[in-house]
Amino acid sequence: MITRDDVARAARVSSATVSRAFNDPDSVSPARVKRVMDAASRLGYTPDKNASALRRSGAGTILLLEKSRGPAVDNDERFYRWFYADIIRSVKSAVDESMLQLALHSYTSVVDIRAIGKRRLADGIVCHGMVDEAEVAAVRGLGIPYVICRQMDATQPGVNISFVDEFSGGAIAARTLVDAGHRRPCHITGSLAHVPVCGARWEGFASAFPGVRPELIDGDLGIAGGHASAMKATSLIKSGGIDCIFVVNDLTAVGVVQALLASGIRIPGDISVIGYDNLPFIGTLPVSLTTIDIQMGRTYREGTDLLLKSMKTGAVIHNPVTPTLVPGGTVAMRNR
Amino acid sequence: MITRDDVARAARVSSATVSRAFNDPDSVSPARVKRVMDAASRLGYTPDKNASALRRSGAGTILLLEKSRGPAVDNDERFYRWFYADIIRSVKSAVDESMLQLALHSYTSVVDIRAIGKRRLADGIVCHGMVDEAEVAAVRGLGIPYVICRQMDATQPGVNISFVDEFSGGAIAARTLVDAGHRRPCHITGSLAHVPVCGARWEGFASAFPGVRPELIDGDLGIAGGHASAMKATSLIKSGGIDCIFVVNDLTAVGVVQALLASGIRIPGDISVIGYDNLPFIGTLPVSLTTIDIQMGRTYREGTDLLLKSMKTGAVIHNPVTPTLVPGGTVAMRNR
DNA sequence: CTGTTAGCGCTTTCAC
DNA sequence: GTGAAAGCGCTAACAG
């Protein structure tokens, strides 16, 4: 085990200088910084994060905080688990570039959140998908730097947040269809009034079709819901009332596509379809669904980077992340 | 911040006794252990893992080690990512019960693995899905306690491993079908000779059908592969040559089911189908697929528990985990 | 069984 | 700008 003293000896400086060279290079003469860094890399020195954290009297830790999931997991949650790997890796890679360690932590109620402060468990907190206002308030009340990463902007001002800009995502879906020559849009969604994410996608979509109000089918989310909504749309498709459908998420889109194909409607021949989320099970469809990637990884990566920065500067974090188009085979070019 | 000294004072014992009460309760009189624990919980004391690790001159860390994934991720890998959340949570909950912290680490080559030892990065290593023999050798060469968690047993003796017993999984599929009265089995797989997991599932399946050699269709894995294999099976189904199909994984099973239904074959009326993996996209099918859950969470949870234990005892780890049946609607009862 | 004591490797005053 | 020295909270000898 190489310690800081070994490096100090090799670089012929004091051990305090080694420490400063690593943590605050500006306070050391450039020549010495170089001597220290050379010696360090020659010896293969890695600072001990435990000792560092201990001396700093900090936790030495960034907490990835998530609501604990009981055994009763609903199907939606099961689907969104696919993003988990991306999220973990993104946060991890950001934290690795600091002197801190990543720890995972889950809570069941705000009581658990408050305990984090009492026990000095974290120097910074990345909240995963937190939407409950009381929980957000509890995190803010901790006095520990934090960032909330999730799919929607904050409803309160001043909250530190990195979020998927769902409104823009809806707008991208619209622009993709507009650019391909579509003029008679339809949106299939579910629980529109109750799920904020659905609302944002719909508003973004509608906003980018100037002069047209898209047809709106507000049924149920999920495969069965998509099936049912698609059946309602068939007559509109056959009459030429709509030439494209933006479905609020891939899961529902699977149902829509299955139902349309079963009804003898060709995709994209008779109708263009675009989904949302870029979940891998769209690969189970006989067509390659054009969809929108919500950029979860980037949302968390940038959120964590900004958290690390704000731990020094105290700056407020407000970071919208724009989804991206994943081209597929379900959007056709239409003549105007 | 409550320290061990505060607890010692409150419990009227020395601070060393507090430490012992937490780390080796057997070496302290029961009465004192209770006094210490009472005081600790009253004060809300949590041991400082950084100080603990520093003093122990260990890393204070269990590493979850995985091969780093480049940006070019194939679709299969995307599917299996679904297990990642389970894996992380399982390992995490096991590590939480120790004095250690969980850290995530990825490697691109054996060189990275060897660096772990040089830098005292871990007190124990949980290897995620490691199959490459050279990598396994590198981990063993580290001299750090480790356990490999993956889907197959080790090929070398003496390797510490917790694994999904795929052979038993295949046998469970077979027994499920036998118990429901099936006597003319078929197995659809892909790349049988090249993918050990497929081989084990097939052998387990075949072993549990006494006196019958199942029909074997060895095509390609994946939805398209399943489609093609199913087409080969249709005449056998119509002639009554087979009464059930065990498909090597759910992804391929999706293709099989789609193709059979499209051919007008009823499931389970004309043929029973059983899949393998319990991935959520089986919900994209119009039938509820009977499948086998590979118990990834348990494999990692038990593996980590055993690693923690073996760090004290030095015992070799060899832990097979048996998959479980997930009942669905694609297996019918047949009269003999 | 229990208390005393000496650090683990690092950061951060405090002098110079 | 730099070095000396004092601990951060804990564990592991060592004595008793």
Side-chain angles (χ1 to χ4, degrees):
Chain A
M1 181 66 193
I2 309 286
T3 78
R4 192 216 40 197
D5 281 341
D6 298 322
V7 177
R9 213 168 306 122
R12 280 164 303 120
V13 299
S14 76
S15 55
T17 298
V18 178
S19 185
R20 281 192 277 257
F22 273 85
N23 297 299
D24 185 14
D26 292 344
S27 71
V28 181
S29 68
R32 291 196 159 201
V33 171
K34 187 176 175 344
R35 236 162 69 209
V36 168
M37 291 310 185
D38 286 351
S41 66
R42 188 152 33 82
L43 297 171
Y45 167 70
T46 328
D48 182 320
K49 296 195 180 199
N50 294 313
S52 166
L54 176 58
R55 185 55 237 252
R56 285 194 161 114
S57 292
T61 296
I62 295 289
L63 225 57
L64 178 56
L65 184 65
E66 62 178 315
K67 196 151 195 163
S68 76
R69 302 289 179 180
V73 170
D74 63 29
N75 220 42
D76 267 20
E77 202 277 319
R78 289 194 78 196
F79 280 105
Y80 283 95
R81 255 188 222 192
W82 258 303
F83 294 117
Y84 201 75
D86 270 351
I87 289 169
I88 294 272
R89 286 173 190 155
S90 303
V91 174
K92 168 72 179 154
S93 67
V95 171
D96 275 348
E97 292 171 11
S98 73
M99 189 84 300
L100 301 165
Q101 298 182 289
L102 174 63
L104 308 174
H105 198 81
S106 63
Y107 64 92
T108 34
S109 72
V110 288
V111 177
D112 299 331
I113 295 177
R114 296 204 190 96
I116 295 169
K118 285 188 193 140
R119 306 196 167 190
R120 209 187 67 183
L121 248 38
D123 299 319
I125 305 178
V126 177
C127 301
H128 167 40
M130 183 179 282
V131 290
D132 186 298
E133 291 291 346
E135 293 168 6
V136 172
V139 169
R140 299 182 74 178
L142 250 30
I144 299 173
Y146 72 93
V147 65
I148 291 170
C149 299
R150 67 181 198 194
Q151 288 185 259
M152 292 281 292
D153 197 355
T155 52
Q156 306 286 322
V159 172
N160 290 322
I161 191 163
S162 178
F163 63 100
V164 178
D165 187 349
E166 303 283 356
F167 183 93
S168 296
I172 286 168
R175 271 202 298 281
T176 303
L177 294 167
V178 169
D179 290 350
H182 299 80
R183 290 294 177 270
R184 298 184 297 283
C186 171
H187 181 51
I188 290 180
T189 186
S191 314
L192 187 60
H194 308 298
V195 184
V197 170
C198 294
R201 291 175 189 178
W202 157 241
E203 281 161 27
F205 183 67
S207 77
F209 264 104
V212 196
R213 179 74 177 171
E215 287 289 333
L216 178 65
I217 300 177
D218 182 17
D220 290 322
L221 298 175
I223 293 178
H227 245 269
S229 297
M231 296 325 287
K232 288 188 194 155
T234 48
S235 62
L236 273 169
I237 296 170
K238 285 174 180 162
S239 71
I242 58 177
D243 58 6
C244 61
I245 301 177
F246 167 46
V247 188
V248 70
N249 65 33
D250 286 342
L251 186 55
T252 310
V254 167
V256 169
V257 169
Q258 284 175 349
L260 294 182
L261 293 178
S263 306
I265 292 167
R266 291 163 307 158
I267 301 172
D270 300 322
I271 186 99
S272 290
V273 178
I274 186 163
Y276 200 104
D277 278 348
N278 194 25
L279 283 176
F281 59 75
I282 59 178
T284 63
L285 289 172
V287 293
S288 141
L289 186 68
T290 300
T291 190
I292 307 283
D293 187 292
I294 57 175
Q295 299 284 312
M296 277 288 199
R298 253 183 65 218
T299 304
Y300 280 74
R301 167 78 213 209
E302 292 175 7
T304 308
D305 281 336
L306 290 167
L307 171 65
L308 259 11
K309 213 171 285 175
S310 96
M311 285 168 59
K312 294 177 182 170
T313 65
V316 170
I317 300 168
H318 189 264
N319 178 240
V321 174
T322 306
T324 59
L325 177 73
V326 181
T330 57
V331 173
M333 288 299 298
R334 308 249 180 253
N335 300 322
R336 312 218 165 156
Chain B
M1 181 64 191
I2 310 286
T3 76
R4 191 214 41 193
D5 281 341
D6 298 321
V7 178
R9 214 169 304 121
R12 281 166 302 120
V13 298
S14 75
S15 55
T17 300
V18 178
S19 185
R20 281 192 279 256
F22 273 85
N23 297 298
D24 186 14
D26 293 345
S27 71
V28 181
S29 69
R32 289 198 160 200
V33 171
K34 187 176 173 346
R35 236 163 67 209
V36 169
M37 289 311 185
D38 286 350
S41 67
R42 187 152 32 82
L43 296 173
Y45 166 70
T46 328
D48 183 320
K49 298 196 180 203
N50 293 128
S52 166
L54 176 57
R55 185 54 240 251
R56 280 186 223 256
S57 294
T61 297
I62 295 289
L63 226 56
L64 178 56
L65 184 65
E66 61 179 313
K67 194 149 196 164
S68 76
R69 302 288 180 183
V73 170
D74 62 30
N75 218 44
D76 266 21
E77 204 276 321
R78 287 196 75 196
F79 279 109
Y80 284 94
R81 244 188 228 198
W82 193 81
F83 293 114
Y84 201 75
D86 269 352
I87 288 168
I88 294 273
R89 287 172 190 155
S90 302
V91 174
K92 168 73 176 151
S93 67
V95 171
D96 275 349
E97 292 171 12
S98 73
M99 189 83 301
L100 301 164
Q101 298 182 289
L102 175 63
L104 309 174
H105 199 81
S106 62
Y107 64 92
T108 32
S109 72
V110 289
V111 177
D112 300 331
I113 295 177
R114 297 206 188 95
I116 294 169
K118 286 190 193 139
R119 304 198 167 189
R120 209 187 66 183
L121 248 39
D123 299 318
I125 304 177
V126 177
C127 302
H128 168 38
M130 181 179 283
V131 290
D132 187 296
E133 292 293 344
E135 293 167 7
V136 171
V139 170
R140 300 182 74 178
L142 250 30
I144 298 173
Y146 72 93
V147 64
I148 292 170
C149 299
R150 67 180 201 195
Q151 289 185 258
M152 291 281 293
D153 197 355
T155 51
Q156 304 288 321
V159 172
N160 291 322
I161 191 162
S162 178
F163 63 101
V164 178
D165 185 350
E166 304 284 356
F167 183 93
S168 296
I172 287 169
R175 273 201 298 281
T176 303
L177 295 168
V178 169
D179 291 350
H182 297 81
R183 292 292 176 273
R184 296 183 299 283
C186 170
H187 181 50
I188 290 180
T189 188
S191 312
L192 187 61
H194 308 297
V195 183
V197 170
C198 295
R201 291 177 188 177
W202 156 242
E203 281 161 28
F205 183 69
S207 77
F209 264 105
V212 197
R213 180 72 178 173
E215 287 288 334
L216 178 64
I217 300 177
D218 182 17
D220 288 324
L221 297 175
I223 294 177
H227 244 269
S229 297
M231 297 324 286
K232 289 189 194 154
T234 48
S235 60
L236 272 169
I237 297 170
K238 285 174 180 162
S239 71
I242 59 177
D243 58 5
C244 62
I245 300 177
F246 167 46
V247 188
V248 71
N249 66 32
D250 285 345
L251 188 54
T252 309
V254 167
V256 170
V257 169
Q258 285 176 348
L260 294 183
L261 292 177
S263 307
I265 292 168
R266 290 162 308 156
I267 301 172
D270 300 322
I271 186 99
S272 290
V273 178
I274 186 162
Y276 201 105
D277 277 349
N278 195 25
L279 281 175
F281 60 74
I282 59 177
T284 62
L285 289 172
V287 293
S288 143
L289 185 69
T290 300
T291 189
I292 306 283
D293 187 292
I294 57 174
Q295 299 285 311
M296 276 288 200
R298 256 181 64 217
T299 304
Y300 280 73
R301 165 79 212 209
E302 293 175 7
T304 308
D305 280 336
L306 290 168
L307 171 65
L308 258 13
K309 212 169 287 174
S310 95
M311 285 167 61
K312 294 177 182 171
T313 65
V316 170
I317 301 168
H318 189 263
N319 179 240
V321 174
T322 306
T324 58
L325 177 74
V326 180
T330 56
V331 173
M333 288 298 297
R334 309 250 179 252
N335 298 322
R336 313 218 166 157

